[in-house]
Amino acid sequence: MQSFRTEIENPLVEKDIIELEKKIALFKDGKIDEEKFRSLRLARGVYGQRQQGVQMIRIKLPYGKVTGKQLHRICKVSDEYSTGRLHITTRQDIQIHYVSLDRTPELWAELEKDDVTLREACGNTVRNVTASETAGVDPKEAFDVTPYADATFRYMLRNPISQEMGRKFKMAFSSSEEDTALTYLHDLGFIPKIKTVNGEEVRGFKVMLGGGLGSQPRNADIITDFLETDKLIPFIEGVVRIFDRHGERAKRMKARMKFLIKEIGVEAFLQLVEEEQKALQFQSYPIDYKSYEEKQQLPNLEIPEVDTPQGEAYERWLQTNVIPQKQAGYVSIGIKVHLGDFYTDKARKLADLVSQYANDEIRLTLRQNILIRDVKEEALPFFYRELEQLDFVAYGYNTLADLTACPGTDTCNLGIASSTGAAHILEEVIFKEYPQHLFNKDLTIKISGCMNACGQHNMASIGFQGMSIKVGKSVIPALQVLLGGATLGDGEGRFADKVIKIPSKRAPQALRIILDDFDKNAEKGEAFVDYYDRQGQMYFYENLKPLTTTDDIVDADFIDWGNEQPYVKAVGVGECAGVVIDLVATLLLEAREKLANAEDSINDQKWSDSIYHTYATLVNTAKAILVSEGKKTNSYADIVNQFDETFVATGKIDLGSSFADVVYEIQRNEPTEEFAKAYYKKAEKVYHLISDFRAKEVEA
């Protein structure tokens, strides 16, 4: 595989890929613990599938931007290493499936030729930084958030502070107060604001903290109405550092930041962030948005003349899929991508189209669609004709019929019921029976295959969550119906109520009952969320209750949507079993690698990076020896405390001070060269003391 390595110009990327290749070999030889290998693999976008022996690859595309050249590269990789199918996620990534683990380093190297990464697309890292797909063209925006989202992505990529957190961390930038990036359900969310100071306009962000979906959704707290943009990166870094240190690590279901906020409170959390500021590399981090904006030019290309399409289909498309831009004379075109799935043959032609006749980019959307930007208004007939040949002119973009669904039991390990199968049949019901709602952009339907809410079901007007129910001694697929979710704007949202659980095959009946009732009884112009509030949860429960009976179950109810075989509940299938090896030895090996990373950063004069690698060395070395004693290691802060109690206070290991005093020097010192080198020396000493202690224990 040496040939593909030599084509990579970025030494950091080359190092990443070679490391992945080496770790795959070590894992297959039984020399790395399965859990530790999984952590490394996920942080590099390689995710186990429900089907054994193959991987899902998540391609990280910050704020959903993809150039024509990058889309061609992704297509090439998908055809060569996968199946030619591209899946758009609700975080503006692209996923490809059925990839051999052995080929993932080569696949990654191929993508990097056009600056496309897998790094930190999965795992307990800072995930893809999302943004409104209309950022930069939104008539309602205070300013374009794109350069700020981009700066955040680049600052956090490979940043030592976010490589092995207790759980994933998600951020979003909305373009306006309409909050189309859903900031209220993110760990950190940002809404652009402008304030006049001494007669000059100053850019800043309204900041949301601690939101999330999952089985226990939480609306983020508004922590400030205005954070100046040069404080954005220092604030983010402070928050991530505190989450890394104090976040839960043992109990996975309690490890997201929203639970830490709930446990200690917003004020205490922000106080910890404030106390961390001295340790940061930057107290202020100006983002050069002017250079970005100066490079933005509208295309003025000669468009081939075509006859203007006639008929209802074109008029509907104009009404639902064409979006005015703030740039006069230009529009964006929304492509409704069924469940986010499209194929490389069409993707290549789309890449050529936007390269030649638009602005050489698309934006993938949170609703699993595609947005073409900067299209001249007079070019709409031409674009319609071109997109029609690709079957990309289905009307109803961002309307009720534009359903969102995660992969569910198609490929996901955690899927309980088929979300894509249910979505397909519900979409058919809407198109055939409720055409009046194909223009309704207030109503949303979202479906998740399990409680983790990758399909965002619990913030939808009408949501469905995959479950199962017992019928006698058998189990059949089921869906929980949720109602009343909504994005209210400017950082406010509401989550849907869990109303009732029904067999999956009755989802179409449930949808008919809900929509028929709404059409019959809603007041003119009344939004669904207001109608839901007026009628109340129990009203809808009683309406849907007849669908819950299992007395009249038929054979078809035992077969989930999109399947031919009887339903079998199988959660967590697909990750290979691995071999049992010494976890303590693996943790010590990893700590040694982190120490080596600290030394490399010193040699590269990256003092802040070295200090955090050193900090991680100390904590992971302590974790290794605590694991050998059977101690719980719920958070990094707990590890520090327990090490002092178990080893220092008892005199088993003499550090000359408390372990906490050594570790938390990171908070008390600025990230200077002098401190980086001194901190490294102390960590090296601690590592050898603990390693020697462990060696004597094993020999005894």
Side-chain angles (χ1 to χ4, degrees), residues 29 45 53 56 59 76 108-109 182 227 229 239 312 364 411 561 581 643 666 676 678 686 691:
D29 288 343
M56 178 271 283
I59 300 169
K76 182 177 186 296
W108 187 1
L182 314 175
L227 176 73
T229 56
V239 169
E312 189 177 22
L364 307 178
T411 54
W561 293 111
I581 61 175
F643 186 87
I666 189 175
V686 170
S691 295

Side-chain angles (χ1 to χ4, degrees), residues 318-349:
L318 289 174
Q319 185 176 345
T320 62
N321 293 45
V322 176
I323 303 164
Q325 292 189 182
K326 68 180 184 181
Q327 295 86 358
Y330 288 84
V331 296
S332 294
I333 297 173
I335 298 175
K336 185 171 170 286
V337 182
H338 179 63
L339 302 180
D341 291 332
F342 66 122
Y343 290 84
T344 54
D345 56 342
K346 295 180 180 180
R348 284 190 174 90
K349 293 176 181 178

Side-chain angles (χ1 to χ4, degrees), residues 614-672:
T614 300
Y615 163 75
T617 299
L618 288 165
V619 177
N620 279 273
T621 306
K623 178 180 178 180
I625 202 69
L626 286 168
V627 167
S628 73
E629 297 284 324
K631 300 291 183 179
K632 293 182 178 179
T633 53
N634 291 53
S635 72
Y636 274 10
D638 285 345
I639 289 170
V640 174
N641 293 335
Q642 285 202 61
F643 186 87
D644 272 332
E645 292 172 5
T646 307
F647 296 103
V648 178
T650 59
K652 292 181 179 179
I653 297 178
D654 182 11
L655 301 179
S657 69
S658 72
F659 186 55
D661 283 344
V662 176
V663 172
Y664 293 136
E665 285 187 23
I666 189 175
Q667 286 182 299
R668 299 190 294 271
N669 291 271
E670 295 179 3
T672 62

Side-chain angles (χ1 to χ4, degrees), residues 304-324:
E305 290 188 14
V306 298
D307 292 334
T308 300
Q310 303 297 314
E312 189 177 22
Y314 181 61
E315 292 302 320
R316 286 176 171 175
W317 179 80
L318 289 174
Q319 185 176 345
T320 62
N321 293 45
V322 176
I323 303 164

Side-chain angles (χ1 to χ4, degrees), residues 595 614 617-618 678-688:
L595 195 61
T614 300
T617 299
L618 288 165
Y679 198 43
Y680 171 83
K681 288 293 184 185
K682 288 185 179 181
E684 189 177 37
K685 179 182 176 182
V686 170
Y687 175 81
H688 287 302

Side-chain angles (χ1 to χ4, degrees), residues 133-185:
E133 64 270 16
T134 54
V137 300
D138 187 346
K140 298 179 180 179
E141 67 186 14
F143 55 85
D144 185 359
V145 300
T146 301
Y148 303 95
D150 189 72
T152 300
F153 155 70
R154 295 185 186 282
Y155 189 82
M156 297 309 303
L157 188 69
R158 296 184 178 85
N159 197 311
I161 69 172
S162 57
Q163 296 307 301
E164 291 183 330
M165 297 184 292
R167 282 290 264 126
K168 57 192 173 184
F169 190 95
K170 297 180 178 180
M171 290 186 276
F173 289 78
S174 274
S175 61
S176 73
E177 291 183 0
E178 289 191 354
D179 201 9
T180 53
L182 314 175
T183 62
Y184 66 95
L185 51 80

Side-chain angles (χ1 to χ4, degrees), residues 456-529:
Q456 302 175 338
H457 66 276
N458 42 16
M459 52 77 65
S461 311
I462 303 170
F464 295 94
Q465 176 193 324
M467 305 183 110
S468 62
I469 54 177
K470 290 197 72 174
V471 178
K473 294 183 179 180
S474 301
V475 177
I476 66 171
L479 292 169
Q480 185 171 66
V481 182
L482 300 90
L483 298 172
T487 299
L488 304 177
D490 206 22
E492 297 288 346
R494 51 180 283 172
F495 298 109
D497 294 326
K498 298 175 181 178
V499 176
I500 204 163
K501 185 161 64 171
I502 61 173
S504 288
K505 285 298 180 71
R506 296 177 186 174
Q509 294 166 262
L511 182 61
R512 291 185 183 102
I513 289 171
I514 295 165
L515 292 181
D516 287 345
D517 176 77
F518 177 61
D519 288 344
K520 180 180 178 181
N521 298 314
E523 296 174 358
K524 185 176 181 180
E526 186 174 25
F528 180 82
V529 66

